[in-house]
Amino acid sequence: MAPGLVEPTAQFADLHSVDTKSPLKLKASVNYVPGRNFVEKHDETYKYEDLRPRFPDLHWPALEEVPYNDKGLLGDPEFKHLLSSATDVFDYNPKIGTEVHGVDLANLTDAQKNDLARLVSTRGVVFFRNQTNFDIDAQRELGKYFGTLHSHATTACPRRPGLEDVHVVYTGEGSPDLRALFTPTFLWHSDVTYEVQPPSYTSLKVLTGPPRGGGGDTLWSSQYAAYDQLSAPMQKYLEGLTAIHSADLQAQGSRDLGRPVRRDPVTTEHPLIRTHPVTGWKSLFFNPGFVTKIVGIPKTESDHIISLLNEIVATSPENHARFQWNKDDVAFWDNRVTNHSASYGFAPHRRHAVRVCCQAERPYLDPNSKSQEDDLSERYGIPKANKDGSGIVNYND
């Protein structure tokens, strides 16, 4: 969207408002100009002033391993507690993404929280609309129920003191468009996978954002589905490999901007294939933004595998869920089994959101665990994908 093209001027008929007694007479009209949106103005009494970003000049010790007990293991397999008050629930596609209506995240029972964890671990990402009661204090309390909150070493914290475990996403009206600095695949990532205990359940609430159609969508990619997309020989091969996840590039970028790095950057080795403790499903555990090398193989081989996995994560639409935000919407996702990517192109709108996540278990692989595709095929008779690419190609679209 061009930054200056924001004032709608033309009027077009609303074809849903036709006078049935006179088919040619239109009852009302709507203002519409392609690609233009109303821009909300924010004055000095901005409601979320205390949640604006700051970069405190602090230094924290290295993270220590903490116990983690996944609440999803306590959840009901049919999510009956969480969905008891739901007015609607639907999947975005078979692989990833579910939207739930009628549930107030600020007033969940423990049984409902456990079901939420189980649903998120199963579906990868779950969306809740119009969560006006779910303020930052409620968001942190729910996050702490799931585990020890993670404090990010480089990203912005809220201005309000005591919220250093909250990550602020903020793009103001005059912020530059940074797309030219990244490749599209690099923007796909799972949060802070360089930590020894990368996060599990993560919530993001949009406080202020572009209007509908104004951009700023977020996309998620299923790592369960990415694993299933690989051939059986490739799955077996990757199950024997580990990858290096590094925080160095992120830390150096903050230093170059003159911002503090609150914890020394770490480099950690994790399995390329992991098992989820709740679902028991295998997933790819690959992060385009932080994986630098694959251990134990030549660099040429490592680079080609990284390129292959980048392509699978970023360009497989059947593995993706795309969410168009409104104010007070919340996404809950599981960083262990998803990657996600922001989208640009929402200038000149302000986009302000707050994220809370907790540390999970150290990634591991149970060689006896199943894939999502195998499990669902056995349970429901869902046919498996044909992975033989040597057949005749006849693509007619």
Side-chain angles (χ1 to χ4, degrees):
M1 182 197 313
L5 302 180
V6 296
E7 295 299 333
T9 56
Q11 290 187 332
F12 293 86
D14 180 358
L15 299 182
H16 296 285
S17 302
V18 177
D19 186 342
T20 56
K21 295 181 180 178
S22 178
L24 298 180
K25 181 180 179 181
L26 303 179
K27 294 170 60 178
S29 63
V30 295
N31 291 327
Y32 172 69
V33 176
R36 296 188 181 188
N37 302 95
F38 169 77
V39 179
E40 183 179 2
K41 302 299 182 182
H42 302 281
D43 56 25
E44 296 179 357
T45 60
Y46 180 51
K47 181 179 179 180
Y48 301 108
E49 192 69 28
D50 64 328
L51 299 180
R52 279 180 180 264
R54 69 182 176 106
F55 294 89
D57 191 4
L58 304 170
H59 190 76
W60 300 325
L63 289 176
E64 297 181 358
E65 285 200 59
V66 295
Y68 180 72
N69 299 303
D70 200 311
K71 299 294 187 180
L73 292 167
L74 305 176
D76 181 79
E78 297 179 354
F79 322 108
K80 63 183 180 184
H81 306 292
L82 178 68
L83 301 182
S84 61
S85 60
T87 57
D88 193 16
V89 55
F90 54 91
D91 292 340
Y92 278 33
N93 64 61
K95 297 293 186 181
I96 183 172
T98 298
E99 187 167 319
V100 178
H101 294 184
V103 171
D104 183 359
L105 292 175
N107 292 288
L108 298 180
T109 66
D110 286 356
Q112 289 177 311
K113 295 173 186 176
N114 298 337
D115 282 4
L116 173 61
R118 192 177 187 100
L119 179 60
V120 173
S121 65
T122 302
R123 294 296 301 157
V125 59
V126 182
F127 307 108
F128 299 86
R129 300 283 187 183
N130 196 32
Q131 296 292 311
T132 55
N133 295 330
F134 194 57
D135 61 17
I136 190 58
D137 300 308
Q139 190 174 354
R140 289 180 71 242
E141 284 304 309
L142 184 53
K144 286 191 286 187
Y145 179 82
F146 294 131
T148 301
L149 296 188
H150 177 267
S151 298
H152 202 292
T154 61
T155 57
C157 306
R159 289 182 178 179
R160 190 204 305 178
L163 300 182
E164 287 76 25
D165 50 20
V166 175
H167 166 43
V168 177
V169 178
Y170 187 92
T171 303
E173 294 82 340
S175 299
D177 188 323
L178 302 177
R179 276 177 289 185
L181 300 177
F182 305 100
T183 63
T185 56
F186 182 84
L187 287 172
W188 284 95
H189 66 283
S190 178
D191 296 331
V192 298
T193 57
Y194 47 73
E195 304 288 20
V196 173
Q197 293 177 271
S200 55
Y201 305 114
T202 301
S203 64
L204 180 72
K205 179 178 179 178
V206 165
L207 308 173
T208 301
R212 185 174 61 183
D217 299 357
T218 305
L219 296 87
W220 281 263
S221 179
S222 169
Q223 298 222 64
Y224 290 140
Y227 174 82
D228 280 329
Q229 196 167 331
L230 301 168
S231 67
M234 182 61 76
Q235 289 173 342
K236 189 68 176 177
Y237 173 55
L238 296 186
E239 286 176 18
L241 297 176
T242 58
I244 298 296
H245 298 242
S246 175
D248 288 337
L249 181 63
Q250 188 178 73
Q252 188 57 49
S254 291
R255 295 190 188 103
D256 292 344
L257 290 170
R259 295 172 179 171
V261 177
R262 297 184 289 272
R263 187 185 302 114
D264 293 340
V266 296
T267 297
T268 308
E269 187 175 333
H270 291 308
L272 261 176
I273 308 298
R274 71 184 294 177
T275 300
H276 195 290
V278 175
T279 63
W281 295 336
K282 293 177 182 177
S283 77
L284 182 67
F285 190 57
F286 174 75
N287 189 333
F290 294 132
V291 168
T292 58
K293 299 176 182 178
I294 297 175
V295 179
I297 61 175
K299 184 177 185 337
T300 300
E301 192 172 330
S302 173
D303 288 350
H304 279 284
I305 292 173
I306 287 173
S307 178
L308 167 67
L309 298 180
N310 278 338
E311 182 174 4
I312 288 175
V313 167
T315 68
S316 304
E318 65 273 21
N319 299 349
H320 292 174
R322 183 177 186 128
F323 189 57
Q324 188 175 80
W325 297 90
N326 292 312
K327 290 182 182 180
D328 296 316
D329 290 347
V330 174
F332 250 104
W333 70 92
D334 193 330
N335 270 288
R336 295 169 291 187
V337 294
T338 60
N339 280 290
H340 58 277
S341 179
S343 61
Y344 285 98
F346 54 86
H349 304 289
R350 175 181 295 182
R351 188 171 186 269
H352 187 188
V354 283
R355 188 188 76 196
V356 172
C357 64
C358 67
Q359 296 173 243
E361 77 281 356
R362 182 191 285 261
Y364 70 95
L365 172 64
D366 176 0
N368 296 316
S369 54
K370 296 181 179 181
S371 75
Q372 181 187 47
E373 185 177 62
D374 285 343
D375 191 29
L376 297 184
S377 178
E378 289 179 15
R379 279 200 264 173
Y380 308 119
I382 298 173
K384 298 181 183 181
N386 181 359
K387 299 177 185 178
D388 183 358
S390 65
I392 297 172
V393 176
N394 184 27
Y395 187 71
N396 292 319
D397 287 348

